[in-house]
Amino acid sequence: MSKVKVSNEWKRHVKQEYIRLRQQKRYKRADEVKLAWNQNRMKMTESLIAEQKRWTDSKACWVPLPDIPSHVTCMKKAEVIGNEDDIGAGDIQVTPIRIINAVTPIPTMYTWAPIQQNFMVEDETVLHNIPYMGDDLLDQDGTFIEELIKNYDGKVHGDRESGFIDDELFVELVHALMQYQEPDKPEKKDKDKDKNKEDEKKKVPDFPAYIIFQAISSQFPDKGDPEELREKYIELTERTDPNAPPECTPNIDGPNAASVPREQTMHSFHTLFCRRCFKYDCFLHRLQACHPGPNLQKRRGPDLKPFTEPCSPDCYMLLDSVKEKMAAKAKQEEEAKGKSNAEAGPSSEAKSNGSGNGNGNGNGNSNPRKVCKQQSVDSGNEASSEDSNDSNKYKEKPKKIFSIDANDQDQVSTTTNFSLLGLMGANDHKEWTGSDESLFRGIHKIFLNNYCAIAQIMLTKTCQQVYEFAQKEDAGVLDEETMRDYTPPRKKKKKHRLWSVHCRKIQLKKESNSNHVYNFTPCDHQGSCDVQCPCIGAQNFCEKFCQCSSDCQNRFPGCRCKAQCNTKQCPCYLAVRECDPDLCQTCGADQFDISKITCKNVSVQRGLHKHLLMAPSDVAGWGIFLKDSAQKNEFISEYCGEIISQDEADRRGKVYDKYMCSFLFNLNNDFVVDATRKGNKIRFANHSINPNCYAKVMMVNGDHRIGIFAKRAIQPGEELFFDYRYGPTEQLKFVGIEREMEFL
Amino acid sequence: MPPKKREKDLDSSKNPRIDHIQADHELFLQAFEKPTQIYRYLRTRNMCSPIFLNRTLTYMRYRMSRSHKSRINFKVDSILDKVTSRQDHSTIQPGFINITFLGFSDKSLDHSAQTAQVETVLLKISHKKRKDSSAPSMQISLGTAEIPVNPDDQQIPMTAPTISVSTDSFNPSNGPLAKSYIFLFRVKIHIERANSDEEEPALKKRKSNGTTDMMNEKIYGAELTVYDKYNRCYLADGDYDVILQDFTSLTKSSPKKPSSWENGKDIIETCGNINLMMKGGAMLKFKLNWSPEACAKYVDRPKLYPLSENKENIPLANNNDNKEKLQIVYQFVYNNNSRQQTEACEDLHCPWCSINSDQLYTLLKHLKLCHSRFTFTYVPISVGARIDVAINELYDGSYTGSPHDLISQPTVCAFSRNGPVRRASVTHILVCHPKRAKPSLSEFLELDDCEYDGQRPFITGHNRLYHHTTTCLPIYPKEMDVDSEGENDPEWLRNKTMMMIDEFTDVNEGEKELMKMWNLHVMKYGFVGDCQIPLACQMFVQHKGKELLLKNLYKNFVLHMGSLFDFGLVSAVCLYTTIQKLQEMAGETGAIRNVLKESREAQIDNWSKNGIQSSDKPSTSKSTGRKTGNVGMQRRKGTPTPSETPIRRKSVGGETSRKRP
């Protein structure tokens, strides 16, 4: 494309329209703000009126204490002699003077929001407000604000930047400029111009002339050349096209549910779920660059095996074609089962299962529909499974991954007592709606060819219909054979051996450890973890969130402690990590019920903080005090706050330094915890060179977190201090007066 | 006591100072005046109702007459022996009480009579029967004795009359069951008429009203309890001065109950008694001792028992006469230069509260600890000691009571007696045994280096007013146990997560609703490990299952579980059982069934309505299969502009919709 000279007229048009649109936007925005303000105002007035009404309606009134104190005779009295004009002229009225004690004013506090877990926030690239620190300070040091603005590259919130264009404005600008196309008609070689003229009023999205993009580009050179702008315009307008599919997949439970592929159905869930916090769009990791999606190659067992009996008269197993296949398979299975039963100690129950299976093949119709096998669980088998500490009644404990056998499946009731099948007309369930199809695709991968289960969960289809649809779908469904491969190998012994090696490695790692601690990001590279792996590069262990295999050499093995994990005997404690509930299972870190945990090394993740109370400090400002006593090295609280980048911390720190009040706390090389805006009570702990607490940055399930621990035994009601580790000059800057503390 | 006062007098008379210093001097006086007034006031108050006894202070140990030597040999096992022996004692040992009368004194009698007759009567008071208005009593006269009236110190008779009372008479065996035994003393004096007419007209009048036969006799009476109804013996060996009263008024003054709070009247009465004694009212003196055998009717006049020193009662007793006299000079310092010196005084009384210390150390310690509005510095001088007194600038007269008293408490006031009110637990250490340094005067020499005072705090616990961390409102003691602002999911955070999910433009409303419910659930219970997720799902169904089904989110929940499965957090079996539980709930409630049914019908209607459209649309989707779907999805879901173009959506002010990264 050759450089076309853009006429001054076009430039003027662009400028004019741009300013007009900006102004329009500003007015609109101002109106919005006004509206929102008025709405807020209305809400407040409403609540005030309601409160006023409550006060007037209630009979509450102030009752002066009628009882006279016993020492009334020696109290000072106030005396009044009635005026001559009054009724009680000359009367002397006496009342004892009660002195109201002076209440000392409390220190100032700036508003903050309570959190119990860190909260990551984005960098602020524009200065949101100019901090007010009193008039005199600004007079004294006029350069401060200038420097502050410089930190933000001169960007201040609400500033009218000249070159600002966003997508919406860009499209509007193009449309606005299209009205100038006509006078320039002869200059252009646009093929659409005739059409454009005809239905300009009716249809805007006719394609604008190229000259427009050129003009914009010349006016705003930083937004790209005309070609780029043109492409972008196409992209943007196409998206806003009303005929284009709606933004998101329709609700699968809604009336407009569509038939979409599995990836699309699951997309929202997959992309928003935080595998580390178990929440959607979590506060801590949503902004991190690496968002680990699900590893679709791994499956978590135990799998639900195809049921051995037909689930209903409409079961797919009763189809002739299936029966044949089953018969062939049954033979093989019988043999296998016979073996396994012999190993496990044959029980009558297992035999009856086998016979039931045979019956099912023969005359399935006569079988009762509901067979709840949960009641017929062989207790002997139950005990043999490693379920010795039955904290939760779940059969899906992680240990069970290694013990898939025939019994596991038997423990699951194979029927449900609810279905929508009967509720609709006879033929309704024959129809596959989009919702049905999407749901089927969603769960097909989970249950594979257990069509009975799929049908039960779908509620709207019979087993046979599901089977037929599955055959039609013909998707690359995982076969039972491939599924077998996922059964993890039994490698307990091997793991244990590895563990001792690991422990040695941890020690090595610890020694070689430099002062730099880097944030952990789960790795998702191909192959095993080696020098290329980011975890190894950052001197971090691989965690369960990494995509590497669970026997990766760089994984931390967890501990095998049976005690409290509060000495250096515990490898977790030694590595300054909290016990991982998925790795350490002998210390009780995996228990959900807090009273059942013997491990003392899980306090941060479980939030087992001490009860803290805030009061004016004996030293400066507010202070935080312990309600109950604490022993040495006992966990007090986590230091929570906003997680910000080091750059952001530098910028914020400039302001905090001026305020002489800082809640910044270095977390690791990448991030800083700032408890100024969000935090928990421990933020009120003051600095002392002779503290009773200390801070420790720990790795807690893949996140660095700051724990505050007792440095010595602390009595109830004592104020808490820890060493902020200031430099010698900063110390005085923040805590002006550090009075001599009273020691025991 | 008066040195301070003296010093003030001095300053007016002795100091003809220059005028321009006068104003400054006024300031000096003012500065010292206030604390002095306060301490003077406190002195008076402490004398009337002391808040502690000085003898209990370590440095005032010499005031303690009692020793704790018996405690050294004390054994727990000996308690029983002691009690039983006491009980043995209480069944009265055979023996006699000997009462040797020494004299009767009544200053008003004016030597008109030489002797008086004392009749001793034993009054036995028996059990009070239920319906009797008064307890039956019995009087046994024990004999009379002649005693001198107002015996002169110079002319004490060599012998004294004695009455021996056998203890048998206190044993309940003879006579009806007696409860308490009281000695009554009746003193009869014959008075010449002429004298009595003039001096005691009131007495005469009364007598003429009541009894006519004792016209020229004066009768005094007194009672002494020997055993009370609890069989406690009140009389021990000793010299007794019994104040006698008119016999007729005897019944009025009953013995006071031994353990009860005295009120002001009692004190006044007691004081009145003492006054009477001091004034020289009627008084009978006798010596009482217990002995195994009776005495003769007249015995040699016995010596008095030695007066045992009870220093607490006689605080001003000066018993260090034999010590070397110590000169003490108080020097008052103001604005770092001395202004005033007292004359040297020799006693060790505190100038403010006139308590007598017997050593200089004690005095200094007392001054330092009890008069902390001043500072005292000890400077040894040739004649004795100089004590520099200055105003303690660091004196912290702040309120040391419970800070909760300072805030008004709603409905239940801190001082109210309306009902039990929870209070913050505070430990005040009342007994503290820190290691004490040897008493030495050196600790008063310098002001600053008194490290020794660094003791443990005397008040531990929650002796302060706490505030709520977000509102700064005071925390009342009854709210102390609730860890407010300590929950995992504060309201704002719950709203925040809901708002953040609502902000997405490419997540449908069903997904949003489910995600919100799940997030709130996880935030509330705080699940930490993969191994807890099956439990989390179970609990979710348990707590929110109904709500979820009523909101018509069944399939969304299935997809959510599928997603958990994809992430490897739950197994297929877990998924299956969880959904089973949910279905059970659906089966139980008709409302849920209706919701599911309606949603299903709506879907079918919609599907058949759009049949024409869907006829070609599914075909395309089906023919192209998943792979093309994948491409389409990326375009749809991918963030269209921000990543590639220089314009960032993020920077748009007022942008409310959020895109997934």
mmCIF file of all heavy atoms in Angstrom, chain B residues 462-478:
data_model
loop_
_atom_site.group_PDB
_atom_site.id
_atom_site.type_symbol
_atom_site.label_atom_id
_atom_site.label_comp_id
_atom_site.label_asym_id
_atom_site.label_seq_id
_atom_site.Cartn_x
_atom_site.Cartn_y
_atom_site.Cartn_z
ATOM 1 N N HIS B 462 -6.320 -8.396 81.004
ATOM 2 C CA HIS B 462 -6.874 -7.458 80.033
ATOM 3 C C HIS B 462 -7.279 -6.169 80.724
ATOM 4 O O HIS B 462 -8.434 -5.802 80.768
ATOM 5 C CB HIS B 462 -8.038 -8.108 79.309
ATOM 6 C CG HIS B 462 -7.637 -9.388 78.653
ATOM 7 N ND1 HIS B 462 -6.844 -9.415 77.531
ATOM 8 C CD2 HIS B 462 -7.857 -10.667 78.977
ATOM 9 C CE1 HIS B 462 -6.616 -10.656 77.188
ATOM 10 N NE2 HIS B 462 -7.216 -11.444 78.047
ATOM 11 N N ASN B 463 -6.285 -5.503 81.262
ATOM 12 C CA ASN B 463 -6.568 -4.274 81.978
ATOM 13 C C ASN B 463 -6.563 -3.098 81.014
ATOM 14 O O ASN B 463 -5.843 -2.126 81.216
ATOM 15 C CB ASN B 463 -5.532 -4.072 83.070
ATOM 16 C CG ASN B 463 -5.917 -2.932 83.971
ATOM 17 O OD1 ASN B 463 -7.093 -2.753 84.246
ATOM 18 N ND2 ASN B 463 -4.958 -2.159 84.397
ATOM 19 N N ARG B 464 -7.270 -3.218 79.948
ATOM 20 C CA ARG B 464 -7.371 -2.111 79.009
ATOM 21 C C ARG B 464 -8.665 -2.265 78.226
ATOM 22 O O ARG B 464 -9.287 -3.321 78.247
ATOM 23 C CB ARG B 464 -6.173 -2.060 78.079
ATOM 24 C CG ARG B 464 -5.983 -3.301 77.237
ATOM 25 C CD ARG B 464 -4.756 -3.161 76.384
ATOM 26 N NE ARG B 464 -3.547 -3.501 77.097
ATOM 27 C CZ ARG B 464 -2.539 -2.665 77.274
ATOM 28 N NH1 ARG B 464 -2.595 -1.460 76.767
ATOM 29 N NH2 ARG B 464 -1.455 -3.025 77.919
ATOM 30 N N LEU B 465 -8.994 -1.220 77.576
ATOM 31 C CA LEU B 465 -10.236 -1.229 76.805
ATOM 32 C C LEU B 465 -9.906 -1.582 75.361
ATOM 33 O O LEU B 465 -9.124 -0.893 74.717
ATOM 34 C CB LEU B 465 -10.886 0.147 76.878
ATOM 35 C CG LEU B 465 -12.208 0.281 76.168
ATOM 36 C CD1 LEU B 465 -13.234 -0.620 76.821
ATOM 37 C CD2 LEU B 465 -12.672 1.708 76.211
ATOM 38 N N TYR B 466 -10.485 -2.648 74.887
ATOM 39 C CA TYR B 466 -10.234 -3.052 73.515
ATOM 40 C C TYR B 466 -11.285 -2.459 72.585
ATOM 41 O O TYR B 466 -12.376 -2.100 73.005
ATOM 42 C CB TYR B 466 -10.247 -4.577 73.406
ATOM 43 C CG TYR B 466 -9.145 -5.223 74.177
ATOM 44 C CD1 TYR B 466 -9.410 -5.942 75.327
ATOM 45 C CD2 TYR B 466 -7.819 -5.099 73.778
ATOM 46 C CE1 TYR B 466 -8.394 -6.527 76.066
ATOM 47 C CE2 TYR B 466 -6.799 -5.684 74.503
ATOM 48 C CZ TYR B 466 -7.095 -6.394 75.642
ATOM 49 O OH TYR B 466 -6.088 -6.963 76.353
ATOM 50 N N HIS B 467 -10.907 -2.392 71.325
ATOM 51 C CA HIS B 467 -11.818 -1.822 70.335
ATOM 52 C C HIS B 467 -11.998 -2.802 69.194
ATOM 53 O O HIS B 467 -11.102 -3.579 68.879
ATOM 54 C CB HIS B 467 -11.238 -0.516 69.791
ATOM 55 C CG HIS B 467 -11.087 0.542 70.830
ATOM 56 N ND1 HIS B 467 -11.978 1.565 70.986
ATOM 57 C CD2 HIS B 467 -10.158 0.722 71.785
ATOM 58 C CE1 HIS B 467 -11.600 2.340 71.978
ATOM 59 N NE2 HIS B 467 -10.493 1.848 72.486
ATOM 60 N N HIS B 468 -13.154 -2.722 68.572
ATOM 61 C CA HIS B 468 -13.365 -3.500 67.359
ATOM 62 C C HIS B 468 -12.457 -2.954 66.270
ATOM 63 O O HIS B 468 -12.285 -1.739 66.146
ATOM 64 C CB HIS B 468 -14.821 -3.425 66.919
ATOM 65 C CG HIS B 468 -15.720 -4.223 67.794
ATOM 66 N ND1 HIS B 468 -15.817 -5.586 67.715
ATOM 67 C CD2 HIS B 468 -16.547 -3.856 68.789
ATOM 68 C CE1 HIS B 468 -16.680 -6.018 68.616
ATOM 69 N NE2 HIS B 468 -17.133 -4.985 69.292
ATOM 70 N N THR B 469 -11.890 -3.859 65.491
ATOM 71 C CA THR B 469 -10.841 -3.416 64.581
ATOM 72 C C THR B 469 -11.370 -2.626 63.408
ATOM 73 O O THR B 469 -10.646 -1.843 62.828
ATOM 74 C CB THR B 469 -10.043 -4.615 64.063
ATOM 75 O OG1 THR B 469 -10.951 -5.609 63.632
ATOM 76 C CG2 THR B 469 -9.139 -5.157 65.123
ATOM 77 N N THR B 470 -12.604 -2.830 63.042
ATOM 78 C CA THR B 470 -13.086 -2.088 61.885
ATOM 79 C C THR B 470 -13.886 -0.853 62.277
ATOM 80 O O THR B 470 -13.831 0.155 61.603
ATOM 81 C CB THR B 470 -13.947 -2.985 60.978
ATOM 82 O OG1 THR B 470 -14.804 -3.747 61.809
ATOM 83 C CG2 THR B 470 -13.081 -3.889 60.156
ATOM 84 N N THR B 471 -14.593 -0.957 63.389
ATOM 85 C CA THR B 471 -15.435 0.177 63.764
ATOM 86 C C THR B 471 -14.820 1.034 64.855
ATOM 87 O O THR B 471 -15.288 2.137 65.094
ATOM 88 C CB THR B 471 -16.796 -0.323 64.275
ATOM 89 O OG1 THR B 471 -16.557 -1.216 65.354
ATOM 90 C CG2 THR B 471 -17.553 -1.033 63.193
ATOM 91 N N CYS B 472 -13.809 0.539 65.533
ATOM 92 C CA CYS B 472 -13.173 1.228 66.653
ATOM 93 C C CYS B 472 -14.123 1.394 67.837
ATOM 94 O O CYS B 472 -13.817 2.130 68.768
ATOM 95 C CB CYS B 472 -12.633 2.601 66.263
ATOM 96 S SG CYS B 472 -11.217 2.514 65.197
ATOM 97 N N LEU B 473 -15.248 0.739 67.826
ATOM 98 C CA LEU B 473 -16.138 0.802 68.978
ATOM 99 C C LEU B 473 -15.566 -0.065 70.095
ATOM 100 O O LEU B 473 -14.866 -1.024 69.826
ATOM 101 C CB LEU B 473 -17.536 0.284 68.595
ATOM 102 C CG LEU B 473 -18.308 1.176 67.653
ATOM 103 C CD1 LEU B 473 -19.565 0.470 67.182
ATOM 104 C CD2 LEU B 473 -18.677 2.470 68.341
ATOM 105 N N PRO B 474 -15.866 0.299 71.324
ATOM 106 C CA PRO B 474 -15.295 -0.495 72.412
ATOM 107 C C PRO B 474 -15.872 -1.905 72.457
ATOM 108 O O PRO B 474 -17.031 -2.128 72.100
ATOM 109 C CB PRO B 474 -15.671 0.292 73.669
ATOM 110 C CG PRO B 474 -16.719 1.235 73.261
ATOM 111 C CD PRO B 474 -16.585 1.478 71.812
ATOM 112 N N ILE B 475 -15.050 -2.843 72.891
ATOM 113 C CA ILE B 475 -15.493 -4.222 73.073
ATOM 114 C C ILE B 475 -15.851 -4.382 74.532
ATOM 115 O O ILE B 475 -15.023 -4.168 75.404
ATOM 116 C CB ILE B 475 -14.380 -5.214 72.700
ATOM 117 C CG1 ILE B 475 -14.016 -5.080 71.227
ATOM 118 C CG2 ILE B 475 -14.783 -6.633 73.021
ATOM 119 C CD1 ILE B 475 -12.886 -5.982 70.793
ATOM 120 N N TYR B 476 -17.084 -4.746 74.791
ATOM 121 C CA TYR B 476 -17.495 -4.951 76.169
ATOM 122 C C TYR B 476 -17.024 -6.314 76.619
ATOM 123 O O TYR B 476 -16.863 -7.215 75.806
ATOM 124 C CB TYR B 476 -19.018 -4.822 76.287
ATOM 125 C CG TYR B 476 -19.489 -3.450 75.930
ATOM 126 C CD1 TYR B 476 -20.114 -3.198 74.726
ATOM 127 C CD2 TYR B 476 -19.247 -2.389 76.790
ATOM 128 C CE1 TYR B 476 -20.506 -1.929 74.374
ATOM 129 C CE2 TYR B 476 -19.639 -1.115 76.453
ATOM 130 C CZ TYR B 476 -20.272 -0.894 75.251
ATOM 131 O OH TYR B 476 -20.654 0.363 74.915
ATOM 132 N N PRO B 477 -16.812 -6.453 77.921
ATOM 133 C CA PRO B 477 -16.292 -7.725 78.406
ATOM 134 C C PRO B 477 -17.127 -8.914 77.967
ATOM 135 O O PRO B 477 -16.596 -9.979 77.706
ATOM 136 C CB PRO B 477 -16.319 -7.551 79.918
ATOM 137 C CG PRO B 477 -16.213 -6.105 80.142
ATOM 138 C CD PRO B 477 -16.907 -5.456 78.979
ATOM 139 N N LYS B 478 -18.422 -8.709 77.852
ATOM 140 C CA LYS B 478 -19.260 -9.837 77.461
ATOM 141 C C LYS B 478 -19.036 -10.229 76.005
ATOM 142 O O LYS B 478 -19.418 -11.309 75.587
ATOM 143 C CB LYS B 478 -20.731 -9.514 77.726
ATOM 144 C CG LYS B 478 -21.189 -8.294 76.976
ATOM 145 C CD LYS B 478 -22.640 -7.970 77.257
ATOM 146 C CE LYS B 478 -22.997 -6.670 76.574
ATOM 147 N NZ LYS B 478 -24.334 -6.230 76.776
#
